[in-house]
Amino acid sequence: MLSRDALESALWTRADESPVEWRVSQGLTPYADALAFMDERAEAIAAGAAPEQVWLLQHPPIYTAGSSAKDADLVEARFPVHRTGRGGQFTYHGPGQRIAYVMLDLRRRRPDVRAFVAALEAWIIASLEAFSIASGRREDRVGVWVARPDKPRGIGGETAEDKIAAIGIRVRRWVSFHGVSLNVTPDLTHFSGIAPCGIRTAHYGVTSLDDLGVRASMSAVDAALEQAFEAIFGPISRL
């Protein structure tokens, strides 16, 4: 069952109900190759020459810097650093993390970028419900977060929270690209080379399904993502 947030965000289906291509890549996709593909595909979607697409993949270990990234937030360049045009700050990508690049034509859906980010968050929240993980969005922090009452509280007594999914998009000619990264079984120590999304507060960290004790295969995660996506954004066609 979709959460209230997800149901409220189910305003994103196209009037013509054209299916979105659903593509899943095996192995590790070089980041530069993914950027080149998204750039070309977004232009083709804007021109009406290609259908929308969601692309699920994994990357080799890398750090990416969004348009708001601060150099001071790169603590240690343990992996290659890619400067990119998406929104947001520094994040990590690597094996065990499900990347979902979302290339949708917002003109034919709802031309509201902030609401689109909220819909992506609702998509991940609904997907995590399939694994009995309670998560949510935060007004002051983009992404999807999980409360961690088992961890030390903040200096003001705030409950600790960990980010389980990061979101960073770019929109050009009302076509979105880049998207979402969901932590399934990544090496969480790899995040220590950056201040993820510029957050340095001690009681805010990162987590994954595996870290939360959920042993889920990537294919099971993909199935949950697919079901929740169709409920919010409309039908898909598998490639």
Side-chain angles (χ1 to χ4, degrees), residues 125-150:
I125 292 166
S127 300
L128 290 171
E129 288 177 357
F131 303 99
S132 300
I133 295 175
S135 62
R137 63 165 64 99
R138 302 293 183 263
E139 291 299 325
D140 58 338
R141 288 169 270 136
V142 174
V144 176
W145 294 79
V146 177
R148 300 301 304 270
D150 55 312

Side-chain angles (χ1 to χ4, degrees), residues 165-184:
I167 296 174
I169 65 165
R170 184 176 180 183
V171 175
R172 185 172 64 209
R173 297 175 62 189
W174 285 112
V175 175
S176 68
F177 52 120
H178 296 274
V180 174
S181 58
L182 173 61
N183 296 330
V184 183

Side-chain angles (χ1 to χ4, degrees), residues 36 68 80 86 96 117 138 151 169 189 227 230:
S68 301
R86 63 160 174 80
V117 171
R138 302 293 183 263
K151 290 188 172 184
I169 65 165
T189 66
Q227 182 177 11
E230 287 194 298

